[in-house]
């Protein structure tokens, strides 16, 4: 059972994704649990402020370390049965290591992941130094907060849990683990606006189909993502 805990100032953002599709199934099958914590519940400030002005000046606000530190410690105290080796606190930020399938696979072997979603100009550096174990970015672009990146991690990790998706899908993700892009897929009808389904897929010759799919995977990877070949992402 993987326990995922989220710390955010917008807990409502998470209600939709956890109640549909694969994540809902994972929860129903007791393969994972997702809990969302409101950062404002951990402020000691009378106005429930979670941010403050940056030392050294400049525009925007910085998220303070105290509420985040207290929230993480509260969650850890609730998860006493978790083996520390299998508990990771993740900070989402553009400065983190770029997320790849390999990291999702690693995270899917954990017992508890605690995800800190930042907002504003960023979080106090002491969160990175004292509170988080891993700093992760979902890509080289700037978002308004860590909530969508957290959803990316939740989605990508839960589908890897044993028993969440069928064998069929686990084979599909294997093809990405071989550092290859997926081959083209077709379903009915056989002809659409003049474009035919490749003959080999209708042939029923499974050896030939497998060969065709491997070729197409290699071809599209060479063309679109040559950087993936021979890399261990
Ligand atoms: N942000 N990958 C700024 C990101 C981001 C990303 C999250 C924006 C943190 C403070 N997070 N906040 N890219 O752009 O993870």
């Amino acid at each position: 059972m993987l326990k995922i805990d989220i710390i955010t100032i917008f807990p409502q953002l998470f209600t939709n994704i956890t109640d549909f599709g694969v994540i809902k199934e994972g929860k129903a099958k007791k393969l994972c649990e997702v809990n969302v914590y409101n950062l404002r519940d951990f402020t000691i400030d009378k106005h429930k402020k979670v941010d403050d002005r940056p030392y050294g000046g400049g525009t925007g606000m910085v998220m303070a370390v105290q509420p985040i530190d207290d929230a993480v410690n509260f969650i850890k105290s609730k998860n006493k049965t978790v083996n520390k080796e299998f508990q990771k606190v993740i900070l989402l930020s553009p400065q983190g290591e770029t997320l790849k399938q390999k990291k999702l696979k690693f995270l899917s072997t954990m017992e508890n992941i605690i995800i800190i979603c930042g907002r504003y100009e960023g979080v106090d550096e002491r969160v990175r130094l004292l509170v988080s174990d891993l700093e992760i970015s979902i890509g080289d672009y700037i978002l308004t907060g860590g909530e969508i990146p957290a959803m990316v991690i939740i989605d990508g990790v839960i589908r890897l849990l044993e028993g969440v998706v069928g064998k069929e899908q686990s084979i599909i993700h294997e093809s990405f683990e071989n550092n290859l892009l997926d081959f083209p897929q077709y379903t009915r009808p056989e002809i659409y606006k003049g474009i035919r389904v490749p003959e080999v897929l209708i042939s029923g010759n499974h050896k030939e189909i497998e060969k065709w799919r491997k070729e197409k995977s290699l071809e599209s990877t060479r063309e679109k993502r040559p950087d993936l070949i021979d890399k261990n992402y």
Side-chain angles (χ1 to χ4, degrees), residues 63 91-96 116-123 136-150:
M63 286 184 107
L91 175 64
L92 291 161
S93 95
Q95 286 76 43
I116 302 164
C117 306
R119 283 261 153 187
Y120 317 112
E121 303 316 300
V123 302
I136 295 177
S137 165
I138 65 157
D140 294 338
Y141 37 77
I142 310 299
L143 303 169
T144 59
E147 284 77 10
I148 292 172

Side-chain angles (χ1 to χ4, degrees), residues 1-2 18 21-33 158-159 161-167:
M1 152 74 95
L2 171 65
T18 59
V22 164
I23 304 178
K24 183 187 180 179
E25 252 176 72
K27 279 169 56 182
K29 291 180 184 166
K30 299 255 182 281
L31 297 167
C32 65
E33 195 182 293
I158 290 179
R159 69 177 286 286
L161 298 176
E162 190 111 1
V164 172
V165 290
K167 277 218 171 77

Side-chain angles (χ1 to χ4, degrees), residues 5 14 20 60 63 89 117 130 161 174 182 189 225 227 230:
D5 296 302
F14 289 87
F20 295 94
M63 286 184 107
V89 179
C117 306
L130 298 171
L161 298 176
E174 252 170 27
D182 282 344
R225 294 293 308 277
D227 59 298
D230 295 330

